[in-house]
Short mmCIF file of all heavy atoms in Angstrom, two decimals:
data_model
loop_
_atom_site.label_atom_id
_atom_site.label_comp_id
_atom_site.label_asym_id
_atom_site.label_seq_id
_atom_site.Cartn_x
_atom_site.Cartn_y
_atom_site.Cartn_z
N GLU V 11 1.95 4.24 -0.17
CA GLU V 11 0.88 4.66 -1.09
C GLU V 11 0.63 3.55 -2.10
O GLU V 11 -0.47 3.17 -2.44
CB GLU V 11 1.16 6.01 -1.80
CG GLU V 11 1.10 7.18 -0.82
CD GLU V 11 1.40 8.51 -1.57
OE1 GLU V 11 2.48 8.60 -2.16
OE2 GLU V 11 0.51 9.41 -1.57
N ALA V 12 1.78 3.08 -2.77
CA ALA V 12 1.59 1.99 -3.77
C ALA V 12 1.03 0.81 -3.21
O ALA V 12 0.26 0.03 -3.88
CB ALA V 12 2.98 1.77 -4.40
N LEU V 13 1.27 0.44 -1.99
CA LEU V 13 0.68 -0.70 -1.32
C LEU V 13 -0.67 -0.47 -0.74
O LEU V 13 -1.33 -1.33 -0.13
CB LEU V 13 1.59 -1.13 -0.14
CG LEU V 13 2.99 -1.68 -0.60
CD1 LEU V 13 3.86 -1.88 0.69
CD2 LEU V 13 2.86 -2.97 -1.45
N SER V 14 -1.25 0.84 -0.86
CA SER V 14 -2.50 1.18 -0.36
C SER V 14 -2.63 0.82 1.24
O SER V 14 -3.60 0.25 1.68
CB SER V 14 -3.68 0.49 -1.07
OG SER V 14 -3.64 0.97 -2.39
N LEU V 15 -1.60 1.24 1.97
CA LEU V 15 -1.60 0.98 3.34
C LEU V 15 -2.80 1.60 4.12
O LEU V 15 -3.07 1.23 5.22
CB LEU V 15 -0.27 1.40 4.02
CG LEU V 15 1.03 0.61 3.61
CD1 LEU V 15 2.16 1.08 4.44
CD2 LEU V 15 0.80 -0.89 3.64
N HIS V 16 -3.40 2.64 3.46
CA HIS V 16 -4.49 3.35 4.16
C HIS V 16 -5.85 2.50 4.08
O HIS V 16 -6.87 2.95 4.62
CB HIS V 16 -4.70 4.72 3.57
CG HIS V 16 -5.04 4.68 2.07
ND1 HIS V 16 -4.12 4.40 1.08
CD2 HIS V 16 -6.25 4.96 1.46
CE1 HIS V 16 -4.75 4.40 -0.05
NE2 HIS V 16 -5.98 4.74 0.15
N THR V 17 -5.79 1.37 3.31
CA THR V 17 -6.96 0.60 3.17
C THR V 17 -6.87 -0.72 4.01
O THR V 17 -5.76 -1.05 4.37
CB THR V 17 -7.22 0.23 1.69
OG1 THR V 17 -6.23 -0.66 1.31
CG2 THR V 17 -7.28 1.41 0.86
N VAL V 18 -7.99 -1.37 4.25
CA VAL V 18 -8.02 -2.58 5.04
C VAL V 18 -7.15 -3.68 4.36
O VAL V 18 -6.33 -4.33 4.96
CB VAL V 18 -9.44 -3.10 5.29
CG1 VAL V 18 -9.39 -4.47 5.97
CG2 VAL V 18 -10.19 -2.08 6.15
N SER V 19 -7.40 -3.89 2.98
CA SER V 19 -6.67 -4.88 2.28
C SER V 19 -5.21 -4.53 2.15
O SER V 19 -4.36 -5.42 2.32
CB SER V 19 -7.31 -5.11 0.96
OG SER V 19 -7.25 -3.92 0.13
N GLY V 20 -4.91 -3.36 1.84
CA GLY V 20 -3.54 -2.92 1.74
C GLY V 20 -2.74 -2.99 2.97
O GLY V 20 -1.51 -3.35 3.01
N SER V 21 -3.31 -2.60 4.12
CA SER V 21 -2.64 -2.59 5.32
C SER V 21 -2.20 -3.98 5.73
O SER V 21 -1.31 -4.10 6.60
CB SER V 21 -3.51 -1.91 6.45
OG SER V 21 -4.62 -2.68 6.78
N SER V 22 -2.91 -5.06 5.32
CA SER V 22 -2.56 -6.38 5.66
C SER V 22 -1.48 -6.97 4.81
O SER V 22 -1.03 -8.12 5.00
CB SER V 22 -3.82 -7.24 5.60
OG SER V 22 -4.28 -7.34 4.23
N SER V 23 -0.89 -6.16 3.90
CA SER V 23 0.10 -6.70 2.94
C SER V 23 1.45 -6.59 3.51
O SER V 23 2.40 -7.06 2.81
CB SER V 23 -0.04 -6.05 1.59
OG SER V 23 0.34 -4.62 1.72
N VAL V 24 1.71 -5.91 4.61
CA VAL V 24 3.02 -5.74 5.20
C VAL V 24 2.98 -6.14 6.65
O VAL V 24 1.92 -6.29 7.25
CB VAL V 24 3.51 -4.25 5.05
CG1 VAL V 24 3.60 -3.87 3.55
CG2 VAL V 24 2.62 -3.31 5.84
N GLU V 25 4.20 -6.28 7.22
CA GLU V 25 4.25 -6.61 8.65
C GLU V 25 4.50 -5.32 9.47
O GLU V 25 5.37 -4.63 9.23
CB GLU V 25 5.46 -7.53 8.94
CG GLU V 25 5.27 -9.00 8.32
CD GLU V 25 6.40 -9.91 8.72
OE1 GLU V 25 7.10 -9.57 9.69
OE2 GLU V 25 6.49 -10.99 8.11
N TRP V 26 3.62 -5.15 10.36
CA TRP V 26 3.62 -3.97 11.31
C TRP V 26 4.22 -4.45 12.57
O TRP V 26 4.17 -5.62 13.00
CB TRP V 26 2.20 -3.42 11.51
CG TRP V 26 1.53 -2.98 10.29
CD1 TRP V 26 0.97 -3.79 9.30
CD2 TRP V 26 1.30 -1.64 9.85
NE1 TRP V 26 0.44 -3.11 8.25
CE2 TRP V 26 0.55 -1.69 8.67
CE3 TRP V 26 1.57 -0.35 10.42
CZ2 TRP V 26 0.11 -0.56 7.94
CZ3 TRP V 26 1.16 0.72 9.74
CH2 TRP V 26 0.47 0.70 8.58
N VAL V 27 4.78 -3.48 13.32
CA VAL V 27 5.36 -3.77 14.67
C VAL V 27 4.61 -2.96 15.68
O VAL V 27 3.94 -1.95 15.36
CB VAL V 27 6.83 -3.50 14.66
CG1 VAL V 27 7.59 -4.34 13.76
CG2 VAL V 27 7.13 -1.97 14.50
N GLU V 28 4.70 -3.40 16.96
CA GLU V 28 3.89 -2.75 17.94
C GLU V 28 4.61 -2.89 19.27
O GLU V 28 5.82 -3.37 19.34
CB GLU V 28 2.45 -3.32 18.09
CG GLU V 28 2.47 -4.77 18.33
CD GLU V 28 1.05 -5.35 18.25
OE1 GLU V 28 0.14 -4.68 18.63
OE2 GLU V 28 0.85 -6.44 17.68
N GLY V 29 4.06 -2.39 20.36
CA GLY V 29 4.71 -2.47 21.72
C GLY V 29 6.03 -1.77 21.74
O GLY V 29 6.16 -0.58 21.38
N SER V 30 7.00 -2.44 22.29
CA SER V 30 8.29 -1.80 22.50
C SER V 30 9.00 -1.51 21.23
O SER V 30 9.93 -0.68 21.09
CB SER V 30 9.22 -2.69 23.32
OG SER V 30 9.49 -3.97 22.73
N LEU V 31 8.52 -2.11 20.04
CA LEU V 31 9.15 -1.90 18.76
C LEU V 31 8.49 -0.73 18.01
O LEU V 31 8.99 -0.36 16.92
CB LEU V 31 9.12 -3.18 17.91
CG LEU V 31 9.89 -4.39 18.42
CD1 LEU V 31 9.68 -5.61 17.60
CD2 LEU V 31 11.39 -4.06 18.63
N LEU V 32 7.44 -0.16 18.56
CA LEU V 32 6.66 0.95 17.86
C LEU V 32 7.62 2.08 17.61
O LEU V 32 8.21 2.60 18.55
CB LEU V 32 5.59 1.36 18.76
CG LEU V 32 4.66 2.39 18.13
CD1 LEU V 32 3.81 1.80 17.06
CD2 LEU V 32 3.69 3.05 19.21
N ALA V 33 7.72 2.44 16.38
CA ALA V 33 8.52 3.68 15.93
C ALA V 33 7.87 4.97 16.52
O ALA V 33 6.69 5.13 16.29
CB ALA V 33 8.76 3.70 14.44
N GLN V 34 8.68 5.78 17.21
CA GLN V 34 8.15 7.08 17.65
C GLN V 34 9.16 8.20 17.41
O GLN V 34 10.40 7.92 17.41
CB GLN V 34 7.82 7.06 19.11
CG GLN V 34 6.70 6.09 19.56
CD GLN V 34 6.31 6.26 20.99
OE1 GLN V 34 6.09 7.34 21.47
NE2 GLN V 34 6.20 5.06 21.70
N ARG V 35 8.62 9.28 17.04
CA ARG V 35 9.45 10.45 16.79
C ARG V 35 10.58 10.23 15.80
O ARG V 35 11.73 10.63 15.90
CB ARG V 35 10.17 11.04 18.13
CG ARG V 35 9.03 11.28 19.16
CD ARG V 35 9.58 12.22 20.29
NE ARG V 35 8.51 12.38 21.36
CZ ARG V 35 7.45 13.25 21.24
NH1 ARG V 35 7.28 13.99 20.14
NH2 ARG V 35 6.61 13.31 22.17
N GLN V 36 10.16 9.42 14.73
CA GLN V 36 11.02 9.16 13.60
C GLN V 36 10.33 9.64 12.32
O GLN V 36 9.10 9.51 12.23
CB GLN V 36 11.33 7.65 13.57
CG GLN V 36 12.09 7.13 14.74
CD GLN V 36 12.30 5.61 14.58
OE1 GLN V 36 12.48 5.08 13.47
NE2 GLN V 36 12.26 4.96 15.74
N PRO V 37 11.05 10.07 11.32
CA PRO V 37 10.46 10.39 10.11
C PRO V 37 10.00 9.31 9.25
O PRO V 37 10.50 8.19 9.30
CB PRO V 37 11.57 11.29 9.39
CG PRO V 37 12.87 10.62 9.93
CD PRO V 37 12.59 10.21 11.34
N LEU V 38 9.03 9.52 8.36
CA LEU V 38 8.53 8.60 7.40
C LEU V 38 8.08 7.31 7.99
O LEU V 38 8.56 6.30 7.70
CB LEU V 38 9.57 8.40 6.28
CG LEU V 38 10.19 9.53 5.56
CD1 LEU V 38 10.95 9.09 4.33
CD2 LEU V 38 9.06 10.56 5.13
N ILE V 39 7.11 7.41 8.89
CA ILE V 39 6.49 6.28 9.53
C ILE V 39 5.07 6.21 9.25
O ILE V 39 4.31 7.18 9.42
CB ILE V 39 6.72 6.32 11.06
CG1 ILE V 39 8.23 6.45 11.37
CG2 ILE V 39 6.18 5.09 11.78
CD1 ILE V 39 9.05 5.14 10.98
N TRP V 40 4.53 4.99 8.96
CA TRP V 40 3.03 4.69 8.87
C TRP V 40 2.65 4.14 10.19
O TRP V 40 3.34 3.32 10.81
CB TRP V 40 2.80 3.63 7.78
CG TRP V 40 3.05 4.25 6.43
CD1 TRP V 40 4.27 4.23 5.71
CD2 TRP V 40 2.13 4.82 5.53
NE1 TRP V 40 4.11 4.74 4.47
CE2 TRP V 40 2.78 5.13 4.27
CE3 TRP V 40 0.74 5.03 5.56
CZ2 TRP V 40 2.17 5.70 3.25
CZ3 TRP V 40 0.09 5.62 4.46
CH2 TRP V 40 0.86 5.92 3.32
N TYR V 41 1.46 4.62 10.63
CA TYR V 41 0.88 4.10 11.88
C TYR V 41 -0.56 3.67 11.59
O TYR V 41 -1.29 4.20 10.66
CB TYR V 41 0.75 5.16 12.96
CG TYR V 41 2.11 5.70 13.43
CD1 TYR V 41 2.62 6.90 13.00
CD2 TYR V 41 2.83 4.87 14.34
CE1 TYR V 41 3.80 7.40 13.46
CE2 TYR V 41 4.09 5.40 14.78
CZ TYR V 41 4.58 6.63 14.38
OH TYR V 41 5.77 7.06 14.77
N LYS V 42 -1.04 2.59 12.29
CA LYS V 42 -2.43 2.14 12.10
C LYS V 42 -2.89 1.66 13.40
O LYS V 42 -2.19 1.13 14.29
CB LYS V 42 -2.56 1.07 11.03
CG LYS V 42 -2.11 -0.39 11.48
CD LYS V 42 -2.62 -1.44 10.49
CE LYS V 42 -2.21 -2.75 10.94
NZ LYS V 42 -2.87 -3.90 10.04
N THR V 43 -4.22 1.75 13.52
CA THR V 43 -4.92 1.22 14.72
C THR V 43 -6.46 1.00 14.35
O THR V 43 -6.80 1.39 13.21
CB THR V 43 -4.86 2.13 15.90
OG1 THR V 43 -5.38 1.53 17.06
CG2 THR V 43 -5.61 3.46 15.68
N THR V 44 -7.13 0.31 15.12
CA THR V 44 -8.62 0.22 14.91
C THR V 44 -9.36 0.65 16.16
O THR V 44 -8.84 0.65 17.26
CB THR V 44 -8.95 -1.28 14.58
OG1 THR V 44 -8.53 -2.09 15.63
CG2 THR V 44 -8.38 -1.80 13.28
N PHE V 45 -10.62 1.03 15.93
CA PHE V 45 -11.43 1.47 17.07
C PHE V 45 -12.86 1.39 16.72
O PHE V 45 -13.29 1.28 15.59
CB PHE V 45 -11.05 2.98 17.39
CG PHE V 45 -11.48 3.96 16.39
CD1 PHE V 45 -12.68 4.63 16.30
CD2 PHE V 45 -10.60 4.24 15.26
CE1 PHE V 45 -13.04 5.48 15.33
CE2 PHE V 45 -10.95 5.08 14.23
CZ PHE V 45 -12.19 5.72 14.32
N ASN V 46 -13.64 1.31 17.81
CA ASN V 46 -15.13 1.32 17.58
C ASN V 46 -15.73 2.70 17.63
O ASN V 46 -15.14 3.57 18.31
CB ASN V 46 -15.75 0.42 18.74
CG ASN V 46 -15.32 -0.97 18.64
OD1 ASN V 46 -14.92 -1.49 17.64
ND2 ASN V 46 -15.38 -1.65 19.83
N ALA V 47 -16.77 2.90 16.88
CA ALA V 47 -17.37 4.23 16.91
C ALA V 47 -17.95 4.55 18.27
O ALA V 47 -18.69 3.69 18.79
CB ALA V 47 -18.49 4.24 15.79
#
């Protein structure tokens, strides 16, 4: 929340992982994706 990860600018302030490193079924995890309308 302090990093505003829910915003475009805030979400670019940390390193996210994907693919085989994607955290699943774990507590306290932030997820992000993009999509077209």
Side-chain angles (χ1 to χ4, degrees):
E11 289 180 304
L13 294 172
S14 296
L15 293 187
H16 63 286
T17 67
V18 173
S19 59
S21 66
S22 63
S23 66
V24 300
E25 291 188 15
W26 300 74
V27 299
E28 55 189 324
S30 61
L31 298 177
L32 183 75
Q34 293 187 49
R35 304 196 182 282
Q36 297 178 33
L38 305 192
I39 303 294
W40 292 84
Y41 296 102
K42 78 166 184 174
T43 189
T44 58
F45 66 95
N46 297 334

